[in-house]
Amino acid sequence: MIGDSFEKSIPKIKTELSSFSGVIDVAASSHVPGGISGWHAFVPQGYRLDQTQIMASMSIDPDFIPMTGIQIVDGRNFSHEIISDQRESILINEAAARRYDWKNPVGKTIRLLMNDTNKTVIGVVRDYHLRSLHHEIMPLYIDNDPSGFLYIWNKIKSDDISTNLRDLKNKWTEIAPDQPFDFFFLDESFDRQYRADEKLGLIFSNFTLLAILVACLGLFGLASFTAEQRTKEIGIRKSLGATVSSIVI
């Protein structure tokens, strides 16, 4: 995670971190999928000023989408070569296009109320869960604003994670000696979101097994009581040649 003062240093930081052989890709973003997102108030094209909409938002750099494998289903991604993308362009997800009934979203504009600027949709990404699976997929606004970047993503090789982390920590200490090397793995972040569900599932499983055991004990007790009540009948059946299996049945 990075601080606000690193906005202008992000390109250099990414270049430095990507120089290691153990690093596959480097990207930057304002939020992490599965966490809390930001929110933007805006007026979509075709809506009146009094029809203000609220949409989840996040900022990413052009390398974020290729790294994460998020698919662009229409239009294009942000580009390092097109400087105006940072000021004028946005991406939305399919849920946003459906919400505002945009059959051809690329080229549509929205007016941000925060700074009274217009942004143009240049691409649509396939729906993915910005928050955990406990929440439905919401309309999403994605911009390329470096001032909002809080996280630097590093996709590292898994053959020697400890060495790669050590190299990254040493380089980070060299680049930003005043900032702690604070990191986490995305799969572990996802796992923490569903750990409570796993514990709840384990509790239900244990109680289910306990209920089955109690039911079996009750059935055995009922069978024993019934057999005790019918001792004479069983004796008569045995004397008449009944087998044990037929008596039990």
Side-chain angles (χ1 to χ4, degrees):
M1 185 173 178
I2 61 178
D4 296 338
S5 61
F6 283 88
E7 174 187 345
K8 297 181 180 179
S9 303
I10 288 176
K12 178 183 177 182
I13 293 175
K14 290 179 58 180
T15 300
E16 293 285 347
L17 296 180
S18 61
S19 64
F20 293 110
S21 59
V23 175
I24 302 174
D25 284 313
V26 183
S29 75
S30 62
H31 297 84
V32 176
I36 300 174
S37 65
W39 299 91
H40 270 315
F42 65 96
V43 179
Q45 181 177 326
Y47 283 65
R48 301 189 309 272
L49 185 60
D50 61 349
Q51 294 177 308
T52 301
Q53 304 292 312
I54 302 293
M55 187 158 54
S57 67
M58 68 181 298
S59 297
I60 64 172
D61 73 349
D63 299 315
F64 180 86
I65 286 181
M67 171 188 282
T68 56
I70 296 173
Q71 295 182 339
I72 294 182
V73 296
D74 191 13
R76 64 174 178 86
N77 184 22
F78 297 121
S79 173
H80 289 291
E81 285 71 35
I82 304 177
I83 304 301
S84 61
D85 276 356
Q86 293 186 6
R87 302 185 305 272
E88 303 171 1
S89 304
I90 61 166
L91 305 174
I92 61 173
N93 64 353
E94 294 172 304
R98 289 192 301 269
R99 169 74 63 84
Y100 308 117
D101 197 27
W102 286 346
K103 304 302 182 183
N104 299 293
V106 175
K108 299 289 186 182
T109 62
I110 69 171
R111 179 183 175 184
L112 286 179
L113 300 182
M114 177 176 60
N115 49 17
D116 196 25
T117 58
N118 291 321
K119 300 274 189 175
T120 302
V121 177
I122 62 170
V124 180
V125 300
R126 188 175 299 281
D127 283 340
Y128 71 94
H129 284 273
L130 181 63
R131 296 190 291 175
S132 73
L133 296 178
H134 298 109
H135 305 275
E136 64 177 336
I137 296 176
M138 64 188 73
L140 177 63
Y141 163 106
I142 306 173
D143 63 19
N144 177 23
D145 182 6
S147 65
F149 294 161
L150 296 176
Y151 297 90
I152 291 183
W153 297 57
N154 289 273
K155 188 175 183 179
I156 62 176
K157 295 180 180 178
S158 59
D159 53 355
D160 194 354
I161 294 179
S162 59
T163 300
N164 292 332
L165 286 177
R166 186 191 64 228
D167 291 342
L168 287 174
K169 181 177 181 180
N170 292 337
K171 176 57 69 173
W172 182 261
T173 303
E174 178 185 331
I175 298 172
D178 298 331
Q179 295 289 327
F181 182 69
D182 184 15
F183 74 94
F184 61 90
F185 291 101
L186 191 59
D187 59 344
E188 294 177 354
S189 176
F190 288 151
D191 179 65
R192 284 192 293 270
Q193 295 180 60
Y194 305 109
R195 197 165 294 165
D197 294 333
E198 294 175 352
K199 290 181 179 179
L200 187 61
L202 181 61
I203 291 173
F204 273 110
S205 297
N206 290 335
F207 273 108
T208 300
L209 291 175
L210 182 61
I212 293 174
L213 177 61
V214 171
C216 290
L217 290 175
L219 181 62
F220 177 76
L222 181 61
S224 299
F225 177 75
T226 302
E228 184 70 23
Q229 294 292 101
R230 302 174 68 178
T231 302
K232 292 183 179 180
E233 178 186 341
I234 293 174
I236 294 173
R237 288 178 180 272
K238 285 284 292 183
S239 63
L240 294 177
T243 61
V244 174
S245 59
S246 65
I247 293 175
V248 171
I249 293 173

